[in-house]
């Protein structure tokens, strides 16, 4: 497990980084650039904040989020890997895979000539993870912090047989008021409606919210926008290597039951997840690498 002293020693010259211990054994990396600031927990390489200069935070983090080894963090950008949702056959395996609750290693951190910061992580697989994922693979996760936030997840099959890969960047976005918020760019897409017995429906127009919503949009085109009149902005989401977009808001009743949403947290967040899930799960051939990226940019509206 990486210690904070080891990080400070390795990245002494990186004046754009600072390392904090949010809780015993729970290290976070604070990144400052001319364009924006970000925080990344080493567990799960979990981006927990990103705030462009002059903007309100773009990434939502529950005020009741818990920072404990092995416990998923409510908010930020949980990495769902190497499966999305419940495991296909093992009910006892963790929902959304193990990547978000195991320790990761910071491999590299650079300040680019244009002022952006680029960090590269890889998961420190432990015995429990290997037991749940008996496939030869490597995985790298890149985080680019600037006027935009760019996340890149690359999985390589280093074995001799194909395997199925499900994944999502399960991003919680901060919004002013879920009741006024809409999502453009999914019109005409088929989705699995998980709050209606997983029936398949077709999206008509923009996505609007009225209580719990949990949808897996299939065959999506890699560009959508969260239109937030309350905060007078649109968050533009573009992706590559992703065929699914998951849209989730738990609604008041489910959020209250989850216990780590904070008071009415569900009013100020929406998950729009860049994913490969359900019909869009990837089959990775031996030697093949699959790369999925998500890019977030804030456009002011007024
Ligand atoms: O992405 C939506 C979803 O699959 C919902 O069904 C809900 O379970 C959410 O993820 C949060 O899951 P978590 O395991 O982080 O509580």
């Amino acid at each position: 497990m990486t210690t904070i002293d080891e990080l400070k020693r390795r990245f002494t010259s990186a004046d754009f980084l600072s390392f904090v211990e949010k809780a015993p054994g729970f290290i976070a990396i604070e990144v400052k650039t001319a364009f924006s600031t970000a925080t990344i927990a080493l567990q799960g390489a979990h981006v927990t904040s990103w705030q462009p200069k002059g903007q309100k935070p773009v990434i939502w983090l529950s005020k009741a989020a818990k920072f404990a080894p092995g416990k998923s963090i409510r908010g930020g950008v949980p990495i769902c890997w190497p499966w999305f949702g419940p495991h296909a056959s093992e009910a006892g395996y963790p929902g959304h895979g193990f990547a978000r609750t195991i320790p990761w290693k910071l491999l590299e951190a650079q300040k680019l000539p244009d002022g952006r910061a680029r960090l590269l992580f890889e998961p420190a697989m432990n015995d429990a993870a290997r037991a749940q994922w008996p496939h030869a693979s490597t995985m790298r996760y890149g985080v680019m912090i600037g006027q935009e936030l760019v996340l890149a997840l690359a999985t390589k099959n280093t074995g001799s047989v194909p395997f199925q890969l499900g994944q999502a960047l399960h991003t919680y976005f901060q919004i002013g008021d879920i009741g006024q918020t809409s999502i453009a760019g999914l019109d005409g897409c088929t989705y699995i409606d998980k709050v209606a017995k997983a029936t398949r429906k077709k999206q008509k127009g923009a996505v609007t919210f009225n209580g719990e919503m949990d949808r897996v949009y299939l065959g999506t085109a890699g560009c959508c926008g969260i239109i937030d009149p309350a905060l007078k902005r649109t968050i533009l989401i573009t992706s590559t290597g992703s065929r699914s977009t998951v849209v989730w808001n738990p609604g008041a009743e489910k959020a209250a039951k989850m216990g780590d949403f904070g008071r009415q947290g569900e009013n100020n967040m929406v998950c729009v997840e860049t994913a490969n899930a359900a019909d869009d799960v990837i089959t990775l051939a031996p030697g093949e690498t699959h790369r999925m990226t998500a890019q977030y940019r804030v456009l002011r509206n007024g």
Side-chain angles (χ1 to χ4, degrees), residues 72 74 84 96 100 170 172 194 214 246 248 258 273:
S72 60
R74 182 64 63 200
F84 177 82
H96 292 329
R100 61 177 174 168
H170 192 298
Y172 290 71
K194 290 166 63 177
D214 194 351
V246 181
W248 179 59
M258 294 183 117
E273 306 161 31

Side-chain angles (χ1 to χ4, degrees), residues 45-278:
H46 194 129
V47 174
T48 54
S49 77
W50 177 58
Q51 183 169 10
K53 284 231 160 60
Q55 274 292 343
K56 288 195 181 295
V58 177
I59 301 292
W60 178 86
L61 184 69
S62 168
K63 292 186 175 56
K66 296 176 177 61
F67 295 95
K71 166 111 189 81
S72 60
I73 301 168
R74 182 64 63 200
V77 185
I79 296 173
C80 303
W81 187 94
W83 61 84
F84 177 82
H87 187 274
S89 57
E90 298 290 342
Y93 286 6
H96 292 329
F98 49 75
R100 61 177 174 168
T101 51
I102 62 172
W104 286 56
K105 288 181 270 190
L106 176 60
L107 299 178
E108 295 170 18
Q110 287 129 2
K111 178 72 90 56
L112 301 180
D114 64 6
R116 291 179 298 167
R118 180 170 62 188
L119 285 77
L120 184 66
F121 298 88
E122 76 169 354
M125 295 288 278
N126 55 30
D127 293 345
R130 281 190 204 91
Q132 295 174 1
W133 182 244
H135 303 294
S137 64
T138 58
M139 196 263 256
R140 293 277 190 284
Y141 182 55
V143 180
M144 183 91 83
I145 297 147
Q147 194 59 44
E148 299 160 343
L149 179 66
V150 184
L151 308 171
L153 199 49
T155 304
K156 181 173 185 179
N157 181 343
T158 55
S160 55
V161 292
F163 59 65
Q164 290 230 308
L165 173 67
Q167 56 188 348
L169 294 168
H170 192 298
T171 307
Y172 290 71
F173 291 96
Q174 176 124 359
I175 48 160
D177 172 4
I178 190 68
Q180 299 178 52
T181 298
S182 61
I183 297 174
L186 298 170
D187 182 23
C189 292
T190 298
Y191 63 90
I192 299 169
D193 188 343
K194 290 166 63 177
V195 296
K197 299 186 177 64
T199 46
R200 290 180 183 228
K201 304 173 183 175
K202 193 174 275 295
Q203 181 62 38
K204 293 185 185 67
V207 179
T208 53
F209 298 85
N210 180 18
E212 182 185 0
M213 178 183 289
D214 194 351
R215 300 178 179 177
V216 181
Y217 286 84
L218 301 168
T220 50
C223 182
C224 62
I226 303 171
I227 299 166
D228 180 353
L231 294 185
K232 296 189 176 64
R233 70 184 187 184
T234 294
I235 299 172
L236 188 60
I237 301 166
T238 50
S239 63
T240 63
S242 157
R243 297 285 295 149
S244 320
T245 301
V246 181
V247 178
W248 179 59
N249 181 288
E253 192 181 334
K254 184 157 275 188
K257 284 184 188 147
M258 294 183 117
D260 56 0
F261 248 87
R263 213 175 76 76
Q264 297 185 331
E266 70 283 357
N267 289 339
N268 299 110
M269 58 66 66
V270 64
C271 280
V272 181
E273 306 161 31
T274 298
N276 288 298

